[in-house]
Amino acid sequence: MASKFDNLIDDDIRQTSSTTKTEIGTAATAPQSIAAETYTEEEQHDVNAITVTIPDRQTPIVVFFGSPASGKTLALMRMIRFLEKYEYQVIPEEVFRPKTDRHYTRMCTNLKEMVYDQYTPGGTDIISFMLVKVLNPAGRPVCQILEAPGEHYFDGSPNLSFPTYINAIRTAPNRKVWVFFVEQGWGENQGERNLYAQKICSMQNLISPNDKVVFLFNKADKHRHDQYNRSGKPVMSLFFSNIASQYPGIFTKYQNSGMLKLLYGQYNFKAVCFSSGIFNKTANGREVWTLEDDWYCSELWKVIR
């Protein structure tokens, strides 16, 4: 594992030397006391009124796109711990939101404390939306990652308009990598998954054809008993077929045909299975976080970097 990841580090250093970047609810769903402590007044009443600044208009932006409780925040936190283990730096983009935004300032200040806590975030540890930048061991930017509440992507209706800051990211000149989070059995029923699939397709119709698309099959460890091979790795074909049936149409736009199909296979996107870790509840209602194998992070990093 280490040697494989060392190769990725070497690649990043060579690239830069040749050329001298949580399961979270919105304020509407959070208790009033928590909302008052963690969200600015603007964010509580109108997220569209929050202006954002993207100072780096060249480094690619990775967008974690997912429904509520899809695991985006924990995936980001797990990736931060993984990357920093290999001497990458992950730093908040402090000017992304206005200086008057108290909550964002606290998020930037407390991000690493939350990432390295043995417990999963809860209560006033809420992250709303944040941009972080990943620097390689030589200090050169590799990518930026946007984390945002699932309710800003999907609130149970495919007709939800995307907030201003998501549209600002989508229309920025940076190349984008869209990571669509999907999970087997997510939601109350198949009807809810159908609606979420429609929302994914609506974003696919908006993004540039030059953007990269990744499907992340999250919480894969839940299916260790029936969808993993003898070496303890997920069987991608099983995950793929189950996701395709539970989220109809999300792969359709990316089907190859003709010579492209012969050269590159049936689809022109990347797919990875992912698990942030194992979570055990304590008597006081908190969750202790045991990290899963680095292999999951390595596979995700290879397709987004």
Side-chain angles (χ1 to χ4, degrees):
M1 167 61 209
S3 61
K4 181 187 294 185
F5 193 72
D6 287 342
N7 291 335
L8 297 183
I9 292 179
D10 291 340
D11 287 345
D12 280 335
I13 293 176
R14 282 195 295 271
Q15 289 170 12
T16 56
S17 61
S18 64
T19 61
T20 312
K21 145 75 183 318
T22 306
E23 264 61 65
I24 311 303
T26 61
T29 58
Q32 187 173 359
S33 59
I34 293 177
E37 289 295 320
T38 59
Y39 293 93
T40 61
E41 186 173 341
E42 259 190 343
E43 192 172 355
Q44 290 184 61
H45 295 103
D46 187 3
V47 69
N48 287 318
I50 301 176
T51 59
V52 296
T53 301
I54 307 168
D56 183 345
R57 311 285 279 183
Q58 295 183 330
T59 303
I61 299 174
V62 179
V63 182
F64 282 2
F65 183 113
S67 60
S70 60
K72 301 187 312 304
T73 298
L74 286 174
L76 173 61
M77 293 169 64
R78 179 66 182 95
M79 289 300 295
I80 291 174
R81 293 179 68 154
F82 171 73
L83 291 167
E84 292 192 339
K85 176 180 178 181
Y86 293 97
E87 299 184 359
Y88 282 70
Q89 301 175 61
V90 184
I91 57 175
E93 184 54 81
E94 294 184 354
V95 302
F96 180 57
R97 288 167 63 165
K99 290 183 179 180
T100 55
D101 193 326
R102 303 183 308 276
H103 174 45
Y104 192 69
T105 300
R106 283 196 295 271
M107 284 197 294
C108 292
T109 301
N110 299 330
L111 177 64
K112 295 303 175 64
E113 180 181 350
M114 183 164 59
V115 165
Y116 287 98
D117 197 329
Q118 66 172 318
Y119 297 101
T120 58
T124 56
D125 294 326
I126 287 174
I127 289 179
S128 52
F129 67 91
M130 178 180 233
L131 187 68
V132 299
K133 182 174 284 188
V134 180
L135 308 177
N136 72 10
R140 303 294 184 182
V142 179
C143 67
Q144 304 172 85
I145 303 177
L146 175 71
E147 154 61 6
E151 289 85 353
H152 291 177
Y153 294 111
F154 177 69
D155 67 348
S157 167
N159 299 318
L160 172 74
S161 297
F162 296 114
T164 301
Y165 73 90
I166 292 177
N167 287 319
I169 292 285
R170 181 179 61 80
T171 58
N174 312 60
R175 184 175 68 90
K176 263 75 70 179
V177 180
W178 296 87
V179 182
F180 292 104
F181 279 59
V182 284
E183 174 195 348
Q184 291 183 53
W186 173 85
E188 294 295 324
N189 49 48
Q190 184 57 46
E192 189 171 14
R193 289 189 289 275
N194 289 344
L195 293 174
Y196 177 46
Q198 291 177 43
K199 196 59 184 175
I200 290 175
C201 292
S202 70
M203 178 58 86
Q204 291 173 349
N205 289 331
L206 294 174
I207 65 180
S208 168
N210 296 322
D211 290 348
K212 187 175 184 179
V213 169
V214 175
F215 286 96
L216 184 148
F217 304 155
N218 204 21
K219 306 178 188 178
D221 58 290
K222 289 184 176 181
H223 305 279
R224 196 183 303 274
H225 63 289
D226 62 343
Q227 296 179 42
Y228 276 55
N229 60 27
R230 292 182 178 179
S231 64
K233 295 295 188 295
V235 179
M236 181 58 72
S237 59
L238 293 176
F239 278 86
F240 192 94
S241 61
N242 288 331
I243 293 295
S245 64
Q246 292 186 19
Y247 299 89
I250 62 171
F251 300 147
T252 303
K253 190 176 179 68
Y254 304 102
Q255 288 182 308
N256 288 324
S257 60
M259 186 59 67
L260 288 176
K261 185 175 181 179
L262 291 174
L263 291 174
Y264 301 109
Q266 187 173 358
Y267 297 101
N268 62 349
F269 60 78
K270 300 294 185 181
V272 294
C273 291
F274 192 79
S275 173
S276 297
I278 303 162
F279 307 95
N280 297 101
K281 287 193 174 182
T282 63
N284 64 357
R286 302 201 69 181
E287 284 188 326
V288 178
W289 183 11
T290 304
L291 303 184
E292 262 289 5
D293 194 288
D294 280 355
W295 177 86
Y296 295 98
C297 296
S298 178
E299 293 298 296
L300 177 56
W301 183 238
K302 283 190 292 187
V303 299
I304 65 175
R305 60 187 288 275

